[in-house]
Amino acid sequence: MKKILVTGGCGYIGVHTIADLLVNGFDVISVDNNSRSNSDILLNAEKITGKKTSNYVVDLCDLESTRNIFIKNEGIDGIIHFAAYKAVGESVEKPLLYFANNLGSLINILKCAEEFNVPHFVFSSSCTVYGNPDSIPVTEETPQKPAESPYGATKQMGEVIVNETVKSNSIQAILLRYFNPVGAHPSILLGEIPLGRPANLVPAITQTAIGKLPAMIVHGHDYNTKDGSCVRDYIHVSDIAHAHTLALNYLIDQKNKTQTEIFNLGTGDGYTVLEVIAAFEKVSGIKLNYSLGPRRAGDVVAIYANNNKATTELGWIPKYTLEDMMATAWQWELKLKNEQQVNG
Ligand code: WQD
């Protein structure tokens, strides 16, 4: 059974990926300092899969603590590196926090991959590396424009660090560029748990609908798009998770054509903010309380993926529709409220 170390394993995409890996026969170790997550979520992954996952509460910026994980766990076949801060707005306010954390942790985990001869490495990247693209949909070869935030810059730099590092050793790597991960596991046992007021669209929608937020603002309605609001490629988190399992199998089966390969993980369909709201209203039956407001600094006007490479080479076929994404996100929000009422 192949053993995979997942950093950031208690995070939104991390825990969904752990569930998919376990269901697909991998053995998994999680490393997460729980600074922005809670390892209890791994108990829900166990309810789904019937398999336990232990989490090492370690800050990957501490090299010795990180090395100790590899000393205690020999024969790790692959690493999936999620651990990073991801709040675009916070990164603008605290760029050095983001550079130190996101790049420091990446450098240390790569040092350990080298020292302990881990052959396969998957890096959690993002469509944000494209910046404001000149043409859409974007392919993996679309030239990168300047990142719109320090968060985006850490993803651009992270890709360079992985790409250049593996050239000096035998590690085979894959960079997965997520578009906009949304929704919750169909069991409704896993989902997004935003810290504080959500910056991202879908949790802002569901928290407004459930009454946690008084209202929602659509950031910008005068863009050159079909209805004036921004276009994004929303992708269900469980589809994103399964792509990681496929990427590991691709590496293990030595299908990499180059030492580092890149894959776009999007549906290939772009939806405007107003279309997403309409889809939510349709599946929830709730009229959302929103207003049309000013543009948000740093927003890309429109981006969505050409996902042909992932579908043809990884055999990755996204299966959730926009309405599925909205329905699971809403069911998850309802579950969180119910648990809050029960637990007080
Ligand atoms: C989507 C659209 C907003 C909230 C970023 C990162 C990406 C990934 C996801 C981490 C935009 C609009 C939002 C609201 C709104 N990061 N919006 N009202 O900015 O595309 O992507 O987060 O995983 O790497 O770049 O996602 O959900 O914040 O915004 O109108 O209350 O929704 O303006 O047009 P974004 P988002």
Side-chain angles (χ1 to χ4, degrees):
M1 187 181 282
K2 298 289 185 189
K3 189 187 296 183
I4 307 300
L5 186 146
V6 177
T7 74
C10 300
Y12 172 47
I13 304 173
V15 72
H16 281 84
T17 299
I18 286 177
D20 198 90
L21 290 168
L22 292 172
V23 163
N24 285 282
F26 287 91
D27 188 17
V28 178
I29 303 163
S30 169
V31 180
D32 194 312
N33 67 3
N34 295 145
S35 63
R36 301 189 176 194
S37 62
N38 188 315
S39 54
D40 289 348
I41 198 70
L42 294 174
L43 299 174
N44 285 3
E46 184 181 351
K47 287 178 187 170
I48 295 166
T49 65
K51 296 178 182 176
K52 283 185 184 301
T53 305
S54 51
N55 178 63
Y56 289 87
V57 185
V58 163
D59 184 345
L60 297 175
C61 290
D62 178 333
L63 180 58
E64 280 319 299
S65 304
T66 305
R67 288 186 69 253
N68 284 336
I69 298 166
F70 290 83
I71 291 166
K72 288 175 189 168
N73 297 275
E74 292 181 359
I76 289 173
D77 297 289
I79 295 168
I80 303 179
H81 182 56
F82 289 107
Y85 295 153
K86 60 145 216 154
V88 172
E90 182 187 41
S91 77
V92 174
E93 291 164 21
K94 303 173 184 174
L96 288 176
L97 175 72
Y98 272 66
F99 292 127
N101 183 68
N102 292 8
L103 302 182
S105 55
L106 171 62
I107 289 164
N108 282 348
I109 198 72
L110 282 170
K111 282 180 178 176
C112 291
E114 270 185 351
E115 180 184 351
F116 296 94
N117 301 310
V118 178
H120 307 117
F121 191 87
V122 178
F123 177 64
S124 166
S125 190
S126 165
C127 63
T128 198
V129 302
Y130 295 108
N132 240 319
D134 291 333
S135 64
I136 49 177
V138 292
T139 70
E140 289 82 358
E141 287 69 47
T142 296
Q144 295 185 14
K145 304 297 282 296
E148 294 291 337
S149 68
Y151 159 77
T154 67
K155 290 302 182 184
Q156 288 181 333
M157 295 178 200
E159 290 195 354
V160 170
I161 290 168
V162 173
N163 196 29
E164 293 304 319
T165 300
V166 300
K167 287 177 184 173
S168 67
N169 56 46
S170 59
I171 296 173
Q172 296 292 307
I174 284 180
L175 313 178
L176 295 178
R177 291 176 179 165
Y178 315 147
F179 281 68
N180 286 57
V182 298
H185 190 274
S187 67
I188 313 303
L189 286 169
L190 305 175
E192 195 167 4
I193 305 174
L195 296 174
R197 185 185 179 90
N200 293 136
L201 176 63
V202 173
I205 289 173
T206 58
Q207 288 197 11
T208 299
I210 207 153
K212 269 188 186 173
L213 294 174
M216 206 207 99
I217 296 171
V218 172
H219 298 312
H221 54 96
D222 59 351
Y223 288 105
N224 182 21
T225 63
K226 65 170 77 167
D227 59 23
S229 61
C230 291
V231 174
R232 294 289 185 276
D233 186 331
Y234 298 93
I235 175 77
H236 195 284
V237 63
S238 292
D239 279 328
I240 292 274
H242 189 54
H244 291 75
T245 302
L246 295 173
L248 277 172
N249 285 327
Y250 185 88
L251 289 166
I252 290 164
D253 296 344
Q254 300 181 352
K255 291 181 177 175
N256 259 31
K257 296 177 182 56
T258 53
Q259 199 172 354
T260 297
E261 285 223 50
I262 302 171
F263 294 95
N264 281 340
L265 297 184
T267 62
D269 296 317
Y271 289 101
T272 69
V273 173
L274 292 173
E275 285 175 323
V276 173
I277 291 173
F280 173 80
E281 290 181 328
K282 179 180 177 187
V283 300
S284 66
I286 288 176
K287 181 81 182 75
L288 191 71
N289 179 18
Y290 70 91
S291 60
L292 301 179
R295 297 180 174 191
R296 181 175 74 174
D299 263 337
V300 167
V301 180
I303 188 168
Y304 61 95
N306 174 319
N307 66 4
N308 293 343
K309 191 179 174 195
T311 55
T312 54
E313 293 193 31
L314 285 185
W316 179 68
I317 309 295
K319 66 181 188 180
Y320 293 92
T321 65
L322 183 65
E323 292 187 3
D324 294 331
M325 297 175 214
M326 295 303 107
T328 52
W330 179 230
Q331 287 154 25
W332 172 252
E333 190 67 65
L334 289 167
K335 181 180 191 292
L336 290 177
K337 182 173 184 179
N338 181 46
E339 283 179 347
Q340 193 179 15
Q341 286 167 339
V342 168
N343 300 334

